[in-house]
Amino acid sequence: KCDEGGGVKEIIALLDSLDSYTREHFSYEENLQRYNNYPGLSVQQKQHALFLADLAELKKTLETTGPTGEIALMAKGKLIRWLSRHIKGMDKEFVDYLKARQA
């Protein structure tokens, strides 16, 4: 939306929605990890906190500068890195840990 000249209010609402969903998901995931004595929990918690801080930084920048192509690229980059590093890496490690425990 930023690179299409979308409105600040719409984009902030989207970031707020993403923040709310993400906090709920992280809470569920961390509780599941805690319940299963996952040794990587503290690293997961740190990464989750960093992602939430990134969202807050994006929102603050957007409120300050308005929608720009630079913000759009920054947001896309952060989301792509999150998908490739955290979800496909760290979260997969947790799934592998759960599978190993069940075996």
Side-chain angles (χ1 to χ4, degrees):
K1 207 82 169 136
C2 283
D3 51 2
E4 297 173 7
V8 173
K9 288 181 183 179
E10 294 171 319
I11 300 166
I12 289 174
L14 177 64
L15 290 175
D16 286 342
S17 178
L18 180 60
D19 181 82
S20 177
Y21 167 79
T22 302
R23 286 179 188 280
E24 184 177 322
H25 172 79
F26 288 167
S27 175
Y28 174 79
E29 185 177 281
E30 291 171 9
N31 284 334
L32 187 60
Q33 291 170 349
R34 193 174 294 107
Y35 177 80
N36 286 282
N37 298 311
Y38 181 55
L41 172 61
S42 65
V43 175
Q44 285 271 357
Q45 289 171 317
K46 289 175 187 172
Q47 290 299 310
H48 292 165
L50 287 173
F51 183 78
L52 291 170
D54 281 347
L55 284 180
E57 178 187 343
L58 282 171
K59 183 178 172 184
K60 183 177 179 180
T61 302
L62 180 62
E63 290 171 335
T64 303
T65 65
T68 65
E70 182 180 333
I71 291 174
L73 288 175
M74 185 186 334
K76 288 176 188 177
K78 288 179 186 297
L79 291 174
I80 288 169
R81 278 191 301 279
W82 183 259
L83 287 170
S84 65
R85 292 182 186 162
H86 188 86
I87 295 173
K88 290 184 177 182
M90 293 181 75
D91 286 349
K92 184 182 178 314
E93 289 174 12
F94 176 55
V95 170
D96 293 343
Y97 172 82
L98 290 176
K99 287 179 181 178
R101 282 190 56 156
Q102 291 178 348

